[in-house]
Amino acid sequence: MKIVLATRNRHKVEEIKQILKIYLPDEIYSGLEILSTADFPEIPDIYEDGKTYYENASKKARIVHKFTGLPSVADDSGIEVDFLNGEPGVISAVYAGENATDDENNRKLLKLLEGVPIENRTARFRCVIVYVDGDVEKIFEGVTEGKVIFEPRGDGGFGYDPLFVPDGFDLTFAQMPKDLKNRISHRAKAIKKFAEFISEILQKQN
Ligand code: ITT
């Protein structure tokens, strides 16, 4: 079976593949051909104008399914900071501007949290995964709670990882070994549910 990951974010592609490898039985993972938007140059850029993660993920999965004819899986995700009333949330990727780098987004977030003590820096990462194949649409969600620290730590991961320490840990997502982030992250929780769903489909086919 082929599936297409409807994302242009290469970090997400890498993480989703690693998480699927953790949660799918070996015989299913090895029979799965995991493609991504990068394999289909004809797919246009997708403008993310949704007000919710679901709207954006559903739009990405539907467009990629339309162009490829293959089961498509989109991820829309973001960080929600309580002190900022849930911002940046759905606009996490473009918080500091349309073409903002991760570094610019992180600096904006730190500036808005200047002077805020650690106990008030609570936040969560949320990931919404949408699977589309023909008339079938399925939604899977994962959330990981934690805090935004005072300065970036670590070189791993992407996005806001250097600023986020998940509850129960001392390391940021960017300091952790990849396979630890990929067991406890918002994306891991959502993809674990997707892996259960896809395993069932594939087992029925065999
Ligand atoms: P696609 O839309 O092509 O999938 P994108 O990076 O634009 O790629 P989103 O619109 O879903 O994806 O934006 C998600 C942003 O939220 C992402 O760019 C990061 O800034 C942040 N984010 C999501 N998951 C993250 C993670 O695991 N670690 C750090 N930051 C994350």
Side-chain angles (χ1 to χ4, degrees), residues 6-9 12 15 48 60 75-78 92-93 102 125 158-161 181 186-187:
T7 174
R8 290 196 190 276
N9 183 325
K12 285 186 183 178
E15 285 192 5
E48 295 183 41
K60 291 186 270 192
D75 164 313
D76 206 68
S77 42
S92 291
D102 287 346
F125 270 118
F158 70 102
Y160 298 89
D161 279 348
K181 179 186 174 192
H186 49 310
R187 185 161 297 105

Side-chain angles (χ1 to χ4, degrees), residues 60-206:
K60 291 186 270 192
R62 282 177 188 287
I63 292 176
V64 169
H65 176 61
K66 192 175 118 200
F67 273 86
T68 62
L70 294 168
S72 300
V73 180
D75 164 313
D76 206 68
S77 42
I79 189 168
E80 303 167 358
V81 180
D82 291 324
F83 185 79
L84 302 174
N85 301 313
E87 272 198 21
V90 76
I91 60 159
S92 291
V94 292
Y95 198 34
E98 205 46 53
N99 298 310
T101 62
D102 287 346
D103 196 43
E104 287 164 344
N105 286 331
N106 283 340
R107 271 188 278 144
K108 174 166 179 182
L109 185 57
L110 284 180
K111 187 119 196 66
L112 291 171
L113 292 176
E114 240 168 45
V116 177
I118 193 68
E119 63 272 18
N120 294 338
R121 298 172 80 102
T122 51
R124 68 206 51 76
F125 270 118
R126 190 180 303 277
C127 174
V128 173
I129 296 288
V130 173
Y131 168 92
V132 170
D133 187 19
D135 294 338
V136 177
E137 180 183 88
K138 297 279 174 194
I139 307 158
F140 309 91
E141 185 167 330
V143 175
T144 295
E145 302 281 343
K147 288 200 173 70
V148 175
I149 57 168
F150 297 93
E151 52 187 39
R153 288 195 332 229
D155 304 317
F158 70 102
Y160 298 89
D161 279 348
L163 293 181
F164 185 80
V165 174
D167 286 348
F169 294 85
D170 294 322
L171 299 177
T172 65
F173 268 171
Q175 291 176 303
M176 290 181 173
K178 279 184 197 167
D179 65 290
L180 178 55
K181 179 186 174 192
N182 287 337
R183 282 178 193 277
I184 65 170
S185 78
H186 49 310
R187 185 161 297 105
K189 291 170 187 163
I191 291 289
K192 179 175 191 262
K193 295 176 194 168
F194 168 68
E196 285 159 9
F197 162 77
I198 204 80
S199 298
E200 267 180 40
I201 292 190
L202 290 170
Q203 270 151 9
K204 271 188 208 144
Q205 279 177 5
N206 292 333

